[in-house]
């Protein structure tokens, strides 16, 4: 996790494949909450190096 010059929190996740499961949702919520608590950013961006299932892409997009 890092912050840009503008304060946006950027989380880099070196993952090959993400599918939407309860564990994935819980982990991403925890990452988001920690970034917001520690950095108090105007926005949080999560960057994945791999691909997502169509459902995971839809769920991530719905959460911004």
């Amino acid at each position: 996790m890092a912050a840009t010059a503008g304060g946006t929190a950027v989380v880099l996740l070196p993952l090959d494949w993400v599918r939407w499961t309860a564990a994935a949702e819980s982990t991403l919520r925890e990452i988001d909450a920690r970034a917001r608590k520690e950095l108090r950013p105007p926005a949080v961006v999560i960057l994945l190096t791999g691909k997502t299932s169509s459902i995971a892409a839809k769920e991530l997009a719905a959460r911004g």
Side-chain angles (χ1 to χ4, degrees):
M1 181 175 16
T4 66
T8 297
V10 179
V11 180
L12 305 173
L13 298 178
L15 303 171
D16 292 329
W17 177 252
V18 177
R19 66 185 179 107
W20 199 250
T21 64
E25 181 178 14
S26 173
T27 299
L28 290 169
R29 284 184 191 270
E30 184 177 329
I31 290 169
D32 182 68
R34 182 175 171 190
R36 291 182 189 284
K37 179 181 177 185
E38 292 180 14
L39 299 176
R40 303 209 184 272
V44 175
V45 175
I46 296 176
L47 299 175
L48 301 170
T49 58
K51 299 189 184 263
T52 63
S53 69
S54 59
I55 294 172
K58 178 182 166 188
E59 293 294 334
L60 289 167
R63 287 161 174 74

